[in-house]
Amino acid sequence: VGASLALSLLRREPGCSIVLVDKATCGSEASGLSAGTISCLGEGDGSNPVADLCYRTVTFLKSLRTSSFDFQQGGALLVATTQRQEAHIKKQMADSVSHGYTEQQWMEKADLRKFEPGLSDAVRAAVFTPLSCHVDPAALTHTVVEEATRKGCVVMENTPVVSMEA
């Protein structure tokens, strides 16, 4: 998060002074443990802050795409194995589509078998989100830190913060 904030600030305010401090090495702790999956419903009307954040994240990742981290935008499936789950995700999808989050597709069992033959027979239906992606979180962190450094960010690794003053 810190490296992404630093880079975003430097893109918005070129030449500003930013110091990124990490008690270990950038990307070695929580950032490197993330699953790296971003579920993206597309750009909507702003009524869903999480969906909007995911869309902006995917847009940000695409801006770094020529870099050395692994970015795979192959989509994702949100599956239902029970009638209750199916009704829930169908309603969720309808609600989000009504707010402009249209980058998703309802898939019935027969279509799913053609799309992903290895799915369990227990899967009844799914929502496919083609903009969803996966990244290697540690490699992404390093890429973001490198770009922030190129834009003037000072990085201090192995430096615990013991106090802050205004």
Side-chain angles (χ1 to χ4, degrees):
V1 172
S4 294
L5 287 172
L7 180 55
S8 294
L9 286 168
L10 287 162
R11 284 179 169 179
R12 185 176 295 165
E13 298 289 332
C16 69
S17 177
I18 296 180
V19 178
L20 181 62
V21 181
D22 197 312
K23 72 176 183 176
T25 57
C26 295
S28 67
E29 298 206 2
S31 296
L33 298 176
S34 164
T37 302
I38 297 104
S39 180
C40 184
L41 306 176
E43 185 175 22
D45 66 3
S47 63
N48 183 332
V50 173
D52 294 335
L53 175 63
C54 291
Y55 180 76
R56 287 193 311 275
T57 299
V58 170
T59 301
F60 173 75
L61 293 172
K62 285 181 177 181
S63 78
L64 299 172
R65 216 169 168 176
T66 58
S67 300
S68 60
F69 72 97
D70 187 21
F71 177 89
Q72 299 174 13
Q73 191 170 31
L77 290 171
L78 174 61
V79 300
T81 57
T82 67
Q83 186 175 6
R84 183 177 174 181
Q85 288 174 343
E86 183 176 351
H88 177 73
I89 66 172
K90 196 171 207 173
K91 181 183 180 324
Q92 241 182 348
M93 181 182 160
D95 289 347
S96 60
V97 166
S98 74
H99 288 281
Y101 301 96
T102 59
E103 294 294 330
Q104 49 189 322
Q105 174 187 346
W106 182 256
M107 299 182 81
E108 298 287 344
K109 192 170 193 162
D111 294 328
L112 283 166
R113 293 292 160 260
K114 293 175 194 162
F115 183 74
E116 189 59 58
L119 277 178
S120 165
D121 287 336
V123 176
R124 300 169 51 95
V127 175
F128 174 60
T129 53
L131 297 181
S132 295
C133 62
H134 183 268
V135 298
D136 175 334
L140 171 62
T141 302
H142 294 293
T143 297
V144 172
V145 169
E146 287 170 13
E147 187 166 335
T149 301
R150 280 194 300 276
K151 292 186 177 297
C153 181
V154 174
V155 178
M156 298 174 63
E157 295 182 314
N158 301 306
T159 307
V161 175
V162 293
S163 68
M164 291 179 63
E165 296 178 19

